[in-house]
Amino acid sequence: MRKKIVVANWKMNLTYAEAMSLADVIADSEGSNEYCSVIIAAPFIYIHDLINRTRSQADFFIAAQNCYSEDKGAFTGEISASMLASIGVEHVIIGHSERRTIFNENNALLAKKINKAIEHGLIPIYCCGEDLVQRKSGRHFATVENQLSEGLFHIDRTIISECIIAYEPVWAIGTGVNALASEIQEMHSFIRQKIKDKFDEDSAEKIPILYGGSVSIKNAKEIFNCRDVDGGLVGGASLKSDDFLSIIKSLQPVF
Ligand code: PEP
């Protein structure tokens, strides 16, 4: 069975004190367990302290929300994958829709970032997803396929299943309107099929595919119950400890 994963994407939110205290509450609670890994994607400047504070919690990770496509040099304001690895970061989000749209990151640049992440031993959380125009015109499958093939599918067969994919329809991010469970399952199954076609069945079975886009305490259980959904990437609701903890709980099987 694939391990379940919940990623919190804090984006550019929280003061230092707020970030430390939110991480403490999540790490101290039943946040993660044998069944589920919890990853917090925090602003760069908080990562080092957060790693030190939450180090003793099993299956609990502090991730970066981005990295640059080069190791070092004259790239003012950027942070490299090698820098992240040097402070113990293990995961990095690559290709979030806000990076694609606000910062004009295209698949070619994202492919380079993926290479750097892998070169330095980081697990990329690669985001893909269509916008509303693409969904309404029936181009959502083609869009996601293109994002995968140009941004991720160049990597070696032996490491694809180590990566994490997050399907995040742009129209569902931060809008309060989540995709329907049927739409999510349909796309996740499509993504898994593409992994099988490009790599192999074993990789397709192993790779975690998360859903992101207005996940909340109200819809988490239904979304996480979809066969090909292995967890979620949660933005807004990850900033409230009660909500985030109950979203994590919705992933646990009922025995
Ligand atoms: C996100 O940040 O990727 C996200 C899915 O945000 P939200 O949960 O707020 O829609």
Side-chain angles (χ1 to χ4, degrees), residues 9 11 96 98 168 172-175 212-215 233-237:
N9 179 14
K11 311 194 190 198
H96 190 278
E98 287 147 22
E168 299 207 295
I173 298 178
T175 59
S214 296
V215 173
L233 201 166
V234 186

Side-chain angles (χ1 to χ4, degrees), residues 169-243:
V170 180
W171 48 273
I173 298 178
T175 59
V177 181
N178 59 285
L180 299 175
S182 55
E183 293 169 331
I184 298 169
Q185 172 54 31
E186 189 182 34
M187 184 59 87
H188 281 228
S189 151
F190 173 81
I191 293 170
R192 221 176 276 293
Q193 184 61 44
K194 291 295 147 196
I195 307 268
K196 186 175 162 190
D197 296 346
K198 170 73 188 171
F199 299 94
D200 51 50
E201 186 153 14
D202 190 48
S203 303
E205 277 311 307
K206 280 191 187 143
I207 191 163
I209 307 177
L210 315 183
Y211 167 77
S214 296
V215 173
S216 70
I217 48 173
K218 291 201 184 106
N219 59 29
K221 217 175 194 96
E222 191 193 358
I223 293 171
F224 295 161
N225 272 341
C226 296
R227 190 166 43 82
D228 286 296
V229 175
D230 303 308
L233 201 166
V234 186
S238 73
L239 296 169
K240 294 174 223 137
S241 58
D242 288 351
D243 285 15

